Amino acid sequence: MSDNTSDSTEEREPGPFPWGSATGVGSMPGGDAREAARTVTGSFEDFPFLAELPARGPGADMIGRTTGMLVELYARVEPSGWRIGDRPGRDTKRAVSWLREDLDALEEFTQGYEGPLKVQAVGPWTLAAALELRGGEAALGDPGACRDLTGSLAEGLRLHLADVRKRVPGARIVLQLDEPSLTSVLLGRIRTASGYRTHRAVDRQVVESALRDVIAVHDGPVVVHSCAPGVPFALLRRAGAAGVSFDFGLLTERDEEPIGEAVEAGTKLFAGVVPSTDPASGALSDPGGSVMGVRTLWRRLGLNPGTLAESVVITPTCGLAGASPDYARKALAHCARAARSLADNPE
């Protein structure tokens, strides 16, 4: 990466993230892979993403989808959730099949595409908090199981990313790790199977090390997403994340200094400012209003408004699986318009 910087759009755009851009978080409503791919690629011509369709059922949800990527670790659905098993069963096969279907659809609608393309998978700590061991407790409570899970995930992601590169050879792949449980893991808030107590907080250095190991499998940019409060911006930056994706509405004054430091260090902010479920009428009528809070934060932090379009990607607040199909299409289009507003009128 060059130390020389320029204000020209021509020199910005070949970088890992487009200037003045928007994208989605991951999930979409419905179960039609081709329709989802058509919507995503039509909404974001310069930063599409691989859509996830959890409405199809177990295996299409984010945990099941990622278990289908694991190497030499398998999982099946139990009444309590996903549980590690001895061999690949129908649940694992279903997850693999649906991922292949989604990739086929994406490949169809990205013929000749050159530019950033985002794919998502669950990160090691949210996966450890959600996956049960054979006895029914979360893998999170067993340090050895966490290490095995991290290694399996890293290898699985390496293979997945290689597959995406073959399917869309012109793409510059951006990997997003979904870590909505990360803050709860750090604070010891993940409940045990009984529900009467919580798992012990995991040491921050251990958390950071596992994230670094997974981030290292990709030779391109990695974004970590969490739509929970208290996103650990500094930890994620140290672990090597090139970007952090979050719900902008959950920020507090305590988050401002870490955000300022992240921006000054070159970390991209994926700011979730557009509601992820159908809001009251008129909520999507003003693209400029949707990013007003981002402009205000920039001024409060004393950052140069001219850097907004290169530092911020606009997204929905979280995945759109809970939205109506009509609203999901409108929300993605609104994100693109809001990003243009931010670029055209940074102040």
Side-chain angles (χ1 to χ4, degrees):
M1 193 172 178
S2 172
D3 289 331
N4 297 323
T5 58
S6 169
D7 286 336
S8 70
T9 301
E10 289 77 8
E11 291 192 30
R12 279 187 187 129
E13 289 185 343
F17 305 110
W19 186 82
S21 60
T23 190
V25 171
S27 67
M28 293 285 288
D32 187 330
R34 291 187 74 254
E35 179 59 29
R38 181 187 292 111
T39 298
V40 165
T41 54
S43 300
F44 303 122
E45 295 181 356
D46 63 352
F47 202 170
F49 64 97
L50 175 63
E52 302 167 356
L53 303 172
R56 292 179 297 196
D61 61 297
M62 71 176 194
I63 298 298
R65 186 183 189 92
T66 302
T67 62
M69 299 179 191
L70 297 177
V71 173
E72 296 183 357
L73 278 179
Y74 314 105
R76 63 179 186 272
V77 178
E78 297 286 345
S80 54
W82 285 89
R83 182 173 296 181
I84 292 174
D86 297 320
R87 61 185 65 85
R90 63 180 183 180
D91 297 321
T92 298
K93 293 174 182 176
R94 188 185 298 119
V96 172
S97 175
W98 272 330
L99 176 57
R100 188 179 301 121
E101 180 181 310
D102 293 338
L103 286 167
D104 288 344
L106 181 71
E107 183 178 358
E108 177 184 348
F109 287 96
T110 52
Q111 292 295 310
Y113 175 73
E114 295 183 357
L117 169 67
K118 185 165 70 66
V119 298
Q120 303 84 222
V122 176
W125 294 107
T126 294
L127 200 60
L131 268 184
E132 298 174 356
L133 300 176
R134 290 171 180 80
E137 285 292 354
L140 183 66
D142 183 331
C146 289
R147 287 191 293 272
D148 291 345
L149 197 55
T150 297
S152 176
L153 175 62
E155 184 57 31
L157 284 174
R158 189 177 285 111
L159 297 173
H160 174 56
L161 293 167
D163 184 23
V164 178
R165 287 190 193 97
K166 289 179 183 176
R167 290 170 175 270
V168 195
R172 300 191 302 274
I173 300 172
V174 176
L175 172 62
Q176 176 179 301
L177 297 176
D178 291 317
E179 284 283 14
S181 299
L182 181 59
T183 302
S184 293
V185 167
L186 289 166
L187 297 178
R189 292 177 179 169
I190 301 296
R191 293 201 169 276
T192 58
S194 69
Y196 293 122
R197 61 184 185 87
T198 58
H199 288 281
R200 182 179 301 174
V202 181
D203 182 86
R204 297 180 78 87
Q205 290 186 334
V206 173
V207 169
E208 184 180 323
S209 176
L211 284 168
R212 186 180 296 110
D213 288 347
V214 175
I215 287 171
V217 307
H218 184 36
D219 58 6
V222 177
V223 176
V224 179
H225 166 73
S226 174
C227 49
V231 177
F233 288 92
L235 183 151
L236 296 177
R237 183 162 53 87
R238 290 194 303 270
V244 181
S245 173
F246 57 96
D247 181 343
F248 190 84
L250 296 180
L251 293 181
T252 66
E253 190 175 329
R254 188 170 46 194
D255 297 311
E256 293 187 2
E257 184 176 347
I259 287 176
E261 291 173 351
V263 171
E264 290 177 346
T267 304
K268 196 85 166 185
L269 301 183
F270 284 60
V273 298
V274 176
S276 57
T277 54
D278 304 43
S281 177
L284 299 184
S285 61
D286 180 13
S290 294
V291 291
M292 185 62 70
V294 180
R295 294 190 184 98
T296 301
L297 175 63
W298 232 247
R299 286 195 297 270
R300 203 157 55 234
L301 293 175
L303 297 169
N304 178 3
T307 65
L308 265 170
E310 62 184 315
S311 299
V312 177
V313 174
I314 297 301
T315 74
T317 54
C318 204
L320 292 165
S324 66
D326 181 60
Y327 175 75
R329 287 189 291 271
K330 291 177 179 176
L332 296 184
H334 187 81
C335 285
R337 289 194 298 271
R340 285 196 294 273
S341 172
L342 198 63
D344 294 341
N345 304 292
E347 299 190 64

